[in-house]
Amino acid sequence: MKAGSAAKLIVDALLQRFLPLARRRIETAQAQDGQYLRPSDPAYEQVLDSLAMVARHTPVPLLEALLRWRESESPKGANDASTFQRKLAVECIFCSACIRFAECCPQEGLTEKLWSGLENFVFDWLINADRVVSQVEYPSLVDLRGLLLDLVAQLLGALSRIR
């Protein structure tokens, strides 16, 4: 078995554990009507720990898979509170995964394009959060948006240790 196909199998296996847990967190965020709490979920934390271990050895396929997941789960179309709530939940989960990823991935493990993409994600949210999800138009999403910005700041810290 080639190293590339082994890495893909490992990433695929990890994603099979990550996807249902991530979907449950998105649904929980939506069911709580914006009151997204930071529930202790040992299974989710264990998947994030596994993600960190995999990031040390096969960072490119893992980050590419996370980016594809983010794209596929991000809502398209309507600009209503429910859509923004789902978008924020997806971004929170993506950001949590990227924090663990960045804490463990060696700098030489990713291409400049992928590192820049993570940095752009961070700065885009820090600069444009109020334009994307206005506190005035969507006051019910203030807590969830605040959680995302906390996670974005943590990701910025993790990236700054590497870059």
Side-chain angles (χ1 to χ4, degrees):
M1 181 180 295
K2 291 183 176 179
S5 61
K8 184 178 177 353
L9 288 174
I10 291 168
V11 169
D12 288 347
L14 181 57
L15 286 177
Q16 291 307 310
R17 291 181 51 217
F18 173 80
L19 294 175
L21 295 169
R23 280 191 195 106
R24 186 172 68 209
R25 291 177 76 81
I26 292 167
E27 291 163 8
T28 300
Q30 290 185 299
Q32 292 174 350
D33 194 29
Q35 300 302 309
Y36 186 81
L37 305 174
R38 299 176 197 230
S40 173
D41 183 348
Y44 181 70
E45 291 300 317
Q46 185 179 33
V47 167
L48 290 182
D49 289 343
S50 298
L51 194 146
M53 285 189 275
V54 170
R56 288 187 185 118
H57 306 289
T58 59
V60 171
L62 179 58
L63 183 56
E64 288 173 344
L66 289 172
L67 289 166
R68 281 191 305 275
W69 172 82
R70 176 181 174 238
E71 181 64 27
S72 72
E73 291 293 326
S74 292
K76 315 281 187 286
N79 289 333
D80 58 10
S82 175
T83 301
F84 285 124
Q85 189 174 42
R86 181 175 178 83
K87 178 177 182 58
L88 289 169
V90 168
E91 297 291 53
C92 283
I93 292 165
F94 175 75
C95 200
S96 295
C98 286
I99 290 166
R100 299 286 179 93
F101 179 91
E103 289 172 344
C104 294
C105 179
Q107 182 175 359
E108 65 280 359
L110 286 184
T111 64
E112 181 62 29
K113 181 180 177 183
L114 288 172
W115 282 125
S116 294
L118 283 177
E119 290 169 348
N120 289 339
F121 167 80
V122 166
F123 289 114
D124 188 44
W125 272 109
L126 289 174
I127 294 167
N128 298 311
D130 201 47
R131 275 196 301 220
V132 175
V133 183
S134 168
Q135 294 183 78
V136 175
E137 290 181 54
Y138 303 103
S140 66
L141 300 179
V142 168
D143 291 341
L144 186 54
R145 192 185 95 142
L147 173 60
L148 175 60
L149 290 175
D150 287 348
L151 291 168
V152 166
Q154 289 176 38
L155 179 55
L156 179 59
L159 289 172
S160 69
R161 286 190 288 273
I162 299 168
R163 310 235 329 139

